[in-house]
């Protein structure tokens, strides 16, 4: 029996824990900063601690004689948790600190793509002086995306037309990023604004090759019809053919090639990438372009794909660590999925915290939906909101719109005075709008 430790207390980690428990030869342990009731229930033992407290996590892993560690969020990777575990002889199916720079430093990621001439690159610049940043912004007529260099929990990126207008708006936000060291560094990345439809391609990587998974479309904006502030992701959908309604097989293959070349370039840099990896892409008139690369599974995108995995997840993890992924036949159910998050009222601006949520788990299960707890706290047998996303409900079916309906039916079993859901995710109206948008871009 393998003792498997999952680090992280969100819905992504709840889905990972569930996949671990489906393995025929695994016993689950977990470390999380909040008491996630779903993870608690699945775990033989757990530790409540900050996931970035590397010493505490490693000591726990040593104490429990853990065989394998899977790290869910990005912050512990940046803190060097995998390196520390490996120094103690504990295997981890997640990237080292150096390999994780593909996510933790946008500047490093862009320069790596440039160095190895990887397709899907964009025009960009990285600046610590406002005079230089302003000149670059003016050169692109303000039609830019402004990004902190480091991690911001998916909430630091601002784009022309969505979050600010013109050269002045871009300059003001770039100045704010540098002055306040948003993302931890007094530097800003400015990129050309990409026009198209975003999609996520997740993959398993053993350092040499990737096995790409079905694509997913996330919805970052808080409000229906893609309005409101950026969030960590309000929900996502996937289709049973592994593609999305606005893309074709060539788009998928080209995105897979980009991700494969990134993994190869990391190997050449002396930091083999092992574990889940994903590319956030923009499908443009010129094909897929890289928005960002992430050193982990997506959240929420993970909840669309891991529940469909029929192969033994732990065997896949060991194959990634051993550089032997080609030995695995990965089976994934051909189903469509729709995931929607329940978040605290005010999320993305100022969340209402410590508000009780009533969840009828049996009701959700009865109608065939899946429930993944995220950043909630279980106390006094009740479930309470934190400042982040609370829980996700996933509908699974052959037909995408059936999956959306199952998800909506499941959400009826979640009640609270101060909760919010973006209901338009996976609906026919929004998806047809996406198709029309992509068609117009391809024709332009």
């Amino acid at each position: 029996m393998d003792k498997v430790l999952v680090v992280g207390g969100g819905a992504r980690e709840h889905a990972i824990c569930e996949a671990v428990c489906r393995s025929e030869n695994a016993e689950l342990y977990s470390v999380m900063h909040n008491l996630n009731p779903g993870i608690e229930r699945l775990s033989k033992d757990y530790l409540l601690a900050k996931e970035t407290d590397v010493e505490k996590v490693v000591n726990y892993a040593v104490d429990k004689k853990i065989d394998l560690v899977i790290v869910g969020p990005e912050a512990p990777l940046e803190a060097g948790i995998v390196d520390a575990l490996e120094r103690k002889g504990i295997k981890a199916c997640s990237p080292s600190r150096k390999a994780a720079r593909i996510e933790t430093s946008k500047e490093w990621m862009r320069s790596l793509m440039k160095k190895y001439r990887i397709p899907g690159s964009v025009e960009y610049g990285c600046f610590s002086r406002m005079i230089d940043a302003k000149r670059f912004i003016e050169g692109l007529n303000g039609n830019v995306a402004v990004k902190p260099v480091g991690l911001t929990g998916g909430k630091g990126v601002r784009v022309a037309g969505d979050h600010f207008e013109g050269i002045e708006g871009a300059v003001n936000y770039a100045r704010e990023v540098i002055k306040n060291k948003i993302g931890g560094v007094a530097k800003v990345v400015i990129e050309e604004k990409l026009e198209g439809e975003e999609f996520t391609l997740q993959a398993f990587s053993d350092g040499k090759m990737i096995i790409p998974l079905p694509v997913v479309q996330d919805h970052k904006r808080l409000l229906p019809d893609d309005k409101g502030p950026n969030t960590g992701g309000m929900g996502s959908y996937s289709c049973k053919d592994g593609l999305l309604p606005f893309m074709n097989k060539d788009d998928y293959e080209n995105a897979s090639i980009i991700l494969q070349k990134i993994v190869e370039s990391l190997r050449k840099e002396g930091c083999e990438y092992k574990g889940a990896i994903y590319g956030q892409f923009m499908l443009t008139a010129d094909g897929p372009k890289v928005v960002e690369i992430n050193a982990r599974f997506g959240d929420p995108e993970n909840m669309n794909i891991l529940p469909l995995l029929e192969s033994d997840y732990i065997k896949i993890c060991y194959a990634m660590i051993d550089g032997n992924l080609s030995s695995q036949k990965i089976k994934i159910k051909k189903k469509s999925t729709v995931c929607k998050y329940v978040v605290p009222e005010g999320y993305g601006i100022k969340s209402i915290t410590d508000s009780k949520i009533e969840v009828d788990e049996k009701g959700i299960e009865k109608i065939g939906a899946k429930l993944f707890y995220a950043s909630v706290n279980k106390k006094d047998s009740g479930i309470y909101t934190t400042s982040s996303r609370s829980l996700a409900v996933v509908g699974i079916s052959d037909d995408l719109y059936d999956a959306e309906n199952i998800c909506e039916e499941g959400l009826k079993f979640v009640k609270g005075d101060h909760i919010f859901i973006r209901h338009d995710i996976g609906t026919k109206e929004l998806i047809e709008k996406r198709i029309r948008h992509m068609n117009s871009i391809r024709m332009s």
Side-chain angles (χ1 to χ4, degrees):
M1 186 69 73
D2 286 306
K3 291 184 172 184
V4 180
L5 173 64
V6 173
V7 177
R12 166 183 48 215
E13 289 77 36
H14 187 180
I16 291 170
C17 289
E18 195 189 64
V20 167
C21 292
R22 291 201 303 270
S23 177
E24 58 194 34
N25 193 36
E27 187 174 78
L28 178 69
Y29 294 76
S30 53
V31 174
M32 48 189 161
H33 71 277
N34 57 299
L35 186 49
N36 180 312
I39 295 175
E40 177 199 23
R41 201 175 302 142
L42 293 169
S43 301
K44 179 171 173 66
D45 190 74
Y46 65 88
L47 171 70
L48 283 179
K50 278 188 176 176
E51 294 94 342
T52 50
D53 190 336
V54 171
E55 189 179 356
K56 202 173 266 190
V57 177
V58 172
N59 287 344
Y60 180 74
V62 170
D63 182 52
K64 296 297 174 184
K65 297 182 170 59
I66 296 296
D67 299 297
L68 171 67
V69 178
I70 301 162
V71 182
E74 61 275 23
L77 300 174
E78 186 178 39
I81 194 167
V82 169
D83 311 69
L85 287 162
E86 287 177 349
R87 283 195 290 273
K88 294 288 186 181
I90 298 169
K91 291 181 174 182
C93 187
S94 294
S96 67
R97 186 179 193 168
K98 277 188 172 178
R101 284 178 297 169
I102 201 72
E103 171 170 13
T104 61
S105 173
K106 293 179 184 71
E107 180 183 16
W108 191 79
M109 181 273 283
R110 287 296 181 200
S111 64
L112 185 83
M113 288 188 72
K114 189 176 182 180
K115 179 179 177 180
Y116 290 97
R117 295 177 181 170
I118 296 170
S121 294
V122 301
E123 192 177 344
Y124 80 99
C126 188
F127 308 98
S128 52
R129 298 194 322 155
M130 266 316 298
I131 188 168
D132 301 323
K134 185 170 186 281
R135 193 179 296 125
F136 189 82
I137 289 165
E138 286 170 345
L140 289 169
N141 204 27
N143 204 25
V144 296
V146 181
K147 302 181 176 184
V149 170
L151 298 176
T152 56
K155 303 178 191 77
V157 177
R158 293 191 188 170
V159 181
D162 291 338
H163 308 102
F164 58 79
E165 294 299 329
I167 291 167
E168 189 183 352
V171 167
N172 288 342
Y173 183 52
R175 185 177 289 113
E176 189 184 330
V177 170
I178 292 171
K179 186 183 173 187
N180 298 332
K181 295 186 178 178
I182 298 173
V185 192
K187 254 183 178 181
V188 65
V189 177
I190 316 280
E191 298 174 358
E192 63 174 299
K193 181 187 175 183
L194 296 170
E195 297 288 350
E197 282 293 330
E198 279 200 55
F199 68 91
T200 301
L201 177 63
Q202 301 172 107
F204 295 126
S205 167
D206 69 357
K208 299 190 292 271
M209 67 171 286
I210 65 161
I211 294 181
L213 300 168
V215 286
V216 183
Q217 188 171 44
D218 181 21
H219 299 68
K220 287 281 187 198
R221 303 298 281 275
L222 178 70
L223 301 174
D225 203 29
D226 301 318
K227 302 283 196 293
N230 262 2
T231 70
M234 293 299 293
S236 45
Y237 70 92
S238 69
C239 300
K240 73 173 189 177
D241 64 357
L243 304 175
L244 291 169
F246 53 80
M247 68 188 296
N248 58 45
K249 197 93 170 87
D250 283 348
D251 300 326
Y252 179 88
E253 294 296 337
N254 289 333
S256 300
I257 288 165
I258 292 167
L259 218 44
Q260 173 67 37
K261 285 183 181 296
I262 284 168
V263 165
E264 288 168 5
S265 71
L266 287 167
R267 191 166 190 232
K268 287 171 189 164
E269 290 290 309
C271 46
E272 274 195 333
Y273 189 103
K274 304 201 171 188
I277 187 169
Y278 85 83
Q280 194 74 33
F281 292 94
M282 184 74 79
L283 184 55
T284 71
D286 300 319
K289 301 276 187 182
V290 172
V291 175
E292 60 185 20
I293 304 294
N294 290 275
R296 54 190 164 83
F297 279 122
D299 184 350
E301 299 98 326
N302 179 46
M303 280 93 80
N304 297 88
I305 304 306
L306 267 192
L308 304 180
L309 182 66
E310 292 186 285
S311 308
D312 189 308
Y313 180 45
I314 298 307
K315 285 181 181 171
I316 296 168
C317 287
Y318 279 122
M320 285 191 266
I321 292 167
D322 297 337
N324 194 24
L325 201 48
S326 59
S327 68
Q328 296 297 302
K329 278 201 170 77
I330 294 180
K331 286 182 70 179
I332 291 173
K333 290 175 193 163
K334 287 190 175 353
K335 298 276 186 184
S336 299
T337 68
V338 174
C339 170
K340 301 187 194 190
Y341 257 118
V342 176
V343 304
E345 197 178 300
Y347 176 62
I349 304 154
K350 186 169 173 35
S351 299
I352 294 176
T353 59
D354 217 32
S355 178
K356 192 168 186 181
I357 305 176
E358 303 284 350
V359 184
D360 179 353
E361 293 187 8
K362 284 193 168 63
I364 292 170
E365 190 181 347
K366 198 172 179 183
I367 61 110
K370 294 192 76 66
L371 167 69
F372 295 108
Y373 284 105
S375 190
V376 290
N377 269 318
K378 182 186 159 198
K379 53 185 181 180
D380 308 325
S381 75
I383 293 160
Y384 294 83
T385 60
T386 67
S387 61
S388 193
R389 296 170 292 183
S390 303
L391 59 92
V393 172
V394 181
I396 301 172
S397 183
D398 286 334
D399 179 76
L400 178 60
Y401 302 120
D402 283 346
E404 193 273 331
N405 187 54
I406 291 165
C407 177
E408 280 294 323
E409 289 300 310
L411 287 165
K412 289 176 183 173
F413 293 97
V414 181
K415 306 272 191 246
D417 291 335
H418 299 289
I419 58 173
F420 175 76
I421 301 158
R422 186 176 159 182
H423 287 288
D424 69 335
I425 294 164
T427 59
K428 193 167 190 176
E429 185 183 9
L430 187 61
I431 287 169
E432 285 180 349
K433 183 185 170 187
R434 299 264 194 264
I435 295 166
R436 286 194 303 273
H437 180 224
M438 199 62 232
N439 286 342
S440 72
I441 282 169
R442 286 191 199 270
M443 288 164 66
S444 64

